[in-house]
Structures are given as structure tokens and as C-alpha cells.
Amino acid sequence: MTKPLEHITILDLSRVLACPFASMILAEMGATVIKVEQPGTGDETRSFEPRVEAKAGSDGGSESAYYMAFNRSKQSITVNLRSEAGQQIVRDLAAGVDVVIENFPVGTLKRYGLGPDTLREINPKLVYLSCTGFGQTGPYAPRKGYDTVFQAMGGIMSLTGERDGGPVKPGLPVADLTSGLWAAIAVLSALQGRSATGQGCHIDLSMFDAQVNLLTLAAARWFALEEVPPRMGTEHPGRVPSASFQAACGRWLHITASDQHWEPLCRVLKLEAWGADPELQTNMGRVRRRDEVMQRLTEAIATQDRDALCDAMDAASVPAGPIKSVDEVLSDPHVKARGMVGEFDHPVIGTFPALPVPLRFDGWDNPVVGRPPLLGEHTAQVLKDRLGLDAARVQALREAKAI
């Protein structure tokens, strides 16, 4: 067997998080990803914290765990995009690849002669994805931004936080990560369309658009009720109970119950008589009496041990689970059984853990955790194999600071 994307080659001009995350997913599903980095410094995340120190016996130094989290299984070449010779290298490489991914500000690559029109004229079957903060068009197109700016402007921050508290950002870069997933979906969709028609395309992906799209249920409430959803902590605006509760041990669990779970939940908590109230048998009734329901459940759960209560909930088929910290998740027996903590061997830092692509195929080889490249590790080989450049020409390009 082989991996599903082994026939695809991607020229990755992107950096930082969203698009490198997308190209890493595609790389670990088999695509050859050639990551183009700035000579000398590379992707700016190579300098980001946290740092991982070199293994004993090596030449020393350290690597960025941030960079490694989003750049596994790729080849790295260094090309100076401000150099005419460097720009020509990218054009020549683009002629022989399937996909170009870039996340430069609007118009930057066009000025370098590397925009979608130019590269698609060279390679009409090319899938060219541009990921920007606000898209190629519209009044915000020239603006720059980061993950938290898109969270703020896209509405997710306004929905996140405790009742009567201020807005809170999620604990992970949600805008970057979800934009990366949209980028991977877009590339796969375009490739599937090309397989049927032979036609390439230019994809305009706005990270702001991606966050607006995530509003989904919040937008549905506005469309249906003209209701601006308030911040509700861990509670759900339309379902009761769906919230986090603190147990006697000080730890927390989360419960989300539908009508069929109400009576089993009340039995576990020894609240049968109160829970038998006809109005509480329906979610609509529980929503109307939200404060009462939350108070009674909070009081009952506060007397229980978290893990024992979670076991009882499982036995009663009530959807519930412990709220786990990162270290608890990564040592969880189910996480281990599913192989969701892998590792790679790196020439500088040695063996290092990593989170694999969470897909399992029956009929294809599964994604495998690869190591991230050293800066410019594959420059000479890629230029030789793909462009036919000999060692003297590669050295001349180095001396001209084009690579």
C-alpha cells in the first residue's frame, strides 16, 4: 500500500502556523512538500519559544518546538525571494509541482513575479492557495493581523468567557489552526476537481472569513431570534444541563445530557424525586428553569469524587467526562492506545514526541510522524533533482545570495 497523496508535490512558500499546519497534514498523508525558507533565518518560528536543547554528544544548539510542531515531514530549501535569481528558481519549481501555498500580504508575491496569474500561466494545472488575514478583496484586504485579532473580529472571543465577565481567548490559536484545516480542505477539493477536469485554480482563503464561518450556531440564534448570544462560561445556550461542575476533590468534570439522559443522571446523583418533575423531563423545561437545575446539580456534584462520578456516569450511559490538563491528556491510556503520541528522531535534539495526523485508513498506509527539516537541508538536492542544476551552478547561486 501507499499513502493517498504520494502523487502530489507542494511548493510551500508559507510560514508561521496556519498554512504550515495545512502543508504538514498533507505531507504526512504522502505529499512531497518543499518548504521555501529565507536564507540564514528561515521561517521566523525557528526562533520561537519553547526551545529544545541539543542531545548529548551533538554539536550543541537548540531547536524550536513551535517550528517542529507544524513542519514535520517536509523538505527545506532556502531561496531569497527578493533576488531575481531566487524568484526564477521559484518559477521553475512551480512549473513542475501540483500546488503552491503562500500566506504573504496581498500583492507581495505579485510584485516578485510569483503571483497566481504568473505561476498559473507557467503551469495551467497548478492549484495556487493564497491565505491572508482578510482575503484578496474587500475593505479589510490591506490589513494585517494575527490569530487573536481574527478571534476578536470574528466573534469567537465575544462568546468565550464567564457570565458577566470580559471576553476571553481560547487556550489554543483557534484562528490559525482552523484556517490551516480549511487550507488543507481547499487544496484537496481543488485537486479532486482538477483530476476530473485538468483545470487548476487560485484559492482565496481569508482567515477572518474562516472565523466568521465558525459562528454557526451563534449565527443561527441571531438569524432565528435576533439574539446576540451572551458569554456563558461552559454552559450551552440551548441545552441544560451542558456545563462543567466541580467535584468534592476540587477537580472538574463536564456533563452534556439530552432528554434521554435526564433520569439516569438524576438517579446517579440521587435526585430522582426532584428530577421526576414533568417539566424537567424536557430540555425546554430545563432551559426555562436553568438557574434551579444548575444549582441543584452543582450542589449534588460538589459532594462526589470526580473519577468515581465519571465511572458512574459511564455505567448509566450519561455523556460526561473529566476535564483533563494537557499532561493528563497526553498520558491518557486511550490516547496511548490510539497512538496519538508519536515521536521522531532529529539529528540535533534526538528523539522528540509529536502528535500525529489523527486519521486511520483501511486501504491506504496511515500517516506516519516524520521529522522536521534542518534549515536548507534539501536545497542542493532539490535544485539538482528538479531543475537539473549542477554543483557549480548551485554554488554560484549561493555566492549570489539567491539561495
Side-chain angles (χ1 to χ4, degrees), residues 85-283:
Q87 294 163 6
Q88 189 59 48
I89 288 172
V90 172
R91 284 190 286 270
D92 292 343
L93 288 172
V97 303
D98 300 285
V99 180
V100 167
I101 296 176
E102 62 94 2
N103 61 353
F104 282 81
V106 174
T108 300
L109 291 186
K110 182 178 181 180
R111 293 196 299 272
Y112 294 162
L114 303 174
D117 292 344
T118 301
L119 297 191
R120 290 181 62 209
E121 183 176 352
I122 296 169
N123 180 357
K125 293 186 177 182
L126 184 67
V127 171
Y128 188 117
L129 181 138
S130 298
C131 177
T132 56
F134 297 95
Q136 302 292 310
T137 60
Y140 296 167
R143 295 179 63 163
K144 296 180 181 179
Y146 289 99
D147 169 87
T148 47
V149 173
F150 307 133
Q151 288 186 37
M153 295 181 67
I156 191 170
M157 266 194 205
S158 77
L159 300 170
T160 307
E162 295 298 331
R163 289 173 177 267
D164 303 318
V168 175
K169 75 176 184 66
L172 289 169
V174 172
D176 278 328
L177 292 171
T178 54
S179 295
L181 293 175
W182 277 117
I185 292 169
V187 167
L188 294 172
S189 299
L191 288 172
Q192 178 63 20
R194 189 186 72 173
S195 71
T197 66
Q199 179 179 329
C201 68
H202 178 218
I203 302 166
D204 172 9
L205 173 60
S206 156
M207 295 179 68
F208 176 66
D209 291 355
Q211 300 319 293
V212 173
N213 176 267
L214 292 182
L215 289 177
T216 56
L217 295 177
R221 297 191 73 86
W222 170 252
F223 295 149
L225 307 173
E226 293 192 353
E227 172 190 302
V228 177
R231 288 184 284 278
M232 299 187 67
T234 62
E235 292 186 51
H236 191 286
R239 177 183 289 181
V240 175
S242 179
S244 300
F245 300 89
Q246 190 171 26
C249 57
R251 295 180 294 176
W252 292 76
L253 71 155
H254 191 89
I255 299 171
T256 293
S258 297
D259 289 349
Q260 68 268 31
H261 308 120
W262 177 247
E263 288 188 4
L265 171 63
C266 290
R267 282 197 301 272
V268 169
L269 296 175
K270 298 180 172 53
L271 297 173
E272 296 98 319
W274 168 71
D277 183 326
E279 187 178 18
L280 297 181
Q281 301 299 303
T282 68
N283 182 66

Side-chain angles (χ1 to χ4, degrees), residues 300-312:
I301 291 169
T303 67
Q304 307 274 339
D305 175 76
R306 184 192 74 172
D307 292 346
L309 184 55
C310 285
D311 288 343

